[in-house]
Amino acid sequence: MLRRLPTAALLLAVLLAVLLSGFLVPGDTSFAPTDVVFPTGAALERARQVAAAWTGSESERIWRTGYYPFPPQQSWLPADFGSNRGAFAAFLGNRVDLGTDFPAPGGLGTVSFPDGRTSFLPLTDPRSHHEQYLARPRDTCTSEPCDTRITVTAVRLATRPQTTSRGTATVPVWEFDLAGLQEPYAIVAVDSQEPTGLRYTEDDENLPPGVSDVSYAYRDYDSPWRLEGDQAPRNCAESLPGAVYETADVLVLVGRTTGRPGDCEARTGRHSRFTFTRPLGDRVVLNLAGRPVLFPAGP
């Protein structure tokens, strides 16, 4: 016959199970990680300033309720550029002729978010997109062959999915049909509402030694306590496990390097892992420039 647990022991077991459940994730039998790295010194002070500046800011308001996309001025290339080298070379060289009229300027475009809400934003002028991104003359040839040209045969308003701070939204785009291609070139047709003047990343020269800013972060789907982050230290130093500063609202990533100059090609990136003390939840992930670097997935 099984012995009954004393009442006090049974209550203790239940309480322990409840407490542990706060640290467990379905399908994950591990506990909260012990390899968290916290910033210190000047890096800690900078992270505190970033976190304090975000809460209640215009950036936070737009992130929560406005149109905050990634990337802001997104464009989509025709897939069949890969089978038409001459057209692609003409596109890269801005040797693009206009063989059609533009839609009338003005009007509003609709941005539809996964939660069913919408925003109505002024449409950009497709003529300015053509002049800035397609037909601006280049001084030198950027890709062979250098004597090909391509013609825009139609311009129209359409929609595409785009990553935003509020999930994958449906956004208005300008589509440019190009002669000889099955798919159009497209560019988002409304401007981001994110504040202007915000640095993409903070320069290494403005950070403590051994600290390099994070340009973008990715989820580690094997653990709710970790992110992966991209860095590009100016001195090509090797990366170290990243440090994190946590509040109830934000997670500030502090990229760390050995500080020792290394050899690398231009734009060579480094990859770091950032571990924090509790699952991310709906907290916003910021770099040391105060810019969000992790965008939520769509529905």
Side-chain angles (χ1 to χ4, degrees), residues 39-65:
T40 59
L44 172 59
E45 182 59 29
R46 178 60 180 266
R48 283 174 173 164
Q49 293 172 0
V50 168
W54 173 264
T55 302
S57 67
E58 182 70 359
S59 292
E60 182 187 29
R61 184 191 67 79
I62 295 170
W63 178 267
R64 302 289 187 190
T65 64

Side-chain angles (χ1 to χ4, degrees), residues 214-283:
V214 177
S215 59
Y216 197 70
Y218 310 83
R219 293 182 183 275
D220 183 342
Y221 287 100
D222 293 330
S223 172
W225 291 290
R226 293 186 178 90
L227 294 173
E228 306 289 335
D230 290 338
Q231 304 165 244
R234 290 284 181 87
N235 64 354
C236 295
E238 295 294 333
S239 64
L240 296 172
V244 295
Y245 176 76
E246 300 183 67
T247 73
D249 300 318
V250 303
L251 192 77
V252 182
L253 305 185
V254 180
R256 299 167 63 240
T257 73
T258 60
R260 297 188 295 273
D263 295 328
C264 69
E265 297 180 2
R267 299 183 180 180
T268 296
R270 303 298 188 196
H271 200 61
S272 295
R273 170 171 285 184
F274 296 83
T275 305
F276 29 98
T277 61
R278 61 185 176 87
L280 182 62
D282 64 352
R283 291 184 292 173

Side-chain angles (χ1 to χ4, degrees), residues 77-89 91-92 150 178 181 185:
L77 297 180
D80 43 345
F81 263 154
S83 60
N84 192 327
R85 183 63 187 172
F88 190 41
F91 179 85
L92 292 178
I150 194 169
L178 300 171
L181 298 178
Y185 165 77

Side-chain angles (χ1 to χ4, degrees), residues 139-169:
D139 295 331
T140 58
C141 174
T142 58
S143 178
E144 297 285 347
C146 296
D147 58 350
T148 56
R149 301 193 69 84
I150 194 169
T151 301
V152 176
T153 59
V155 182
R156 62 181 171 274
L157 193 63
T159 60
R160 297 281 177 105
Q162 186 186 32
T163 300
T164 77
S165 62
R166 298 162 66 182
T168 302

Side-chain angles (χ1 to χ4, degrees), residues 67 69 71-76 103-111 119-129 133 155-162 170-176 185-193:
Y67 171 55
Q73 194 65 60
Q74 186 171 2
S75 60
W76 293 261
L108 298 176
T110 303
V111 179
S119 292
F120 301 98
L121 302 175
L123 290 170
T124 55
D125 184 355
R127 183 181 298 274
S128 66
H129 287 303
Y133 297 105
V155 182
R156 62 181 171 274
L157 193 63
T159 60
R160 297 281 177 105
Q162 186 186 32
T170 300
V171 303
V173 300
W174 292 116
E175 288 188 343
F176 296 76
Y185 165 77
I187 188 166
V188 67
V190 290
D191 289 329
S192 170
Q193 293 179 301

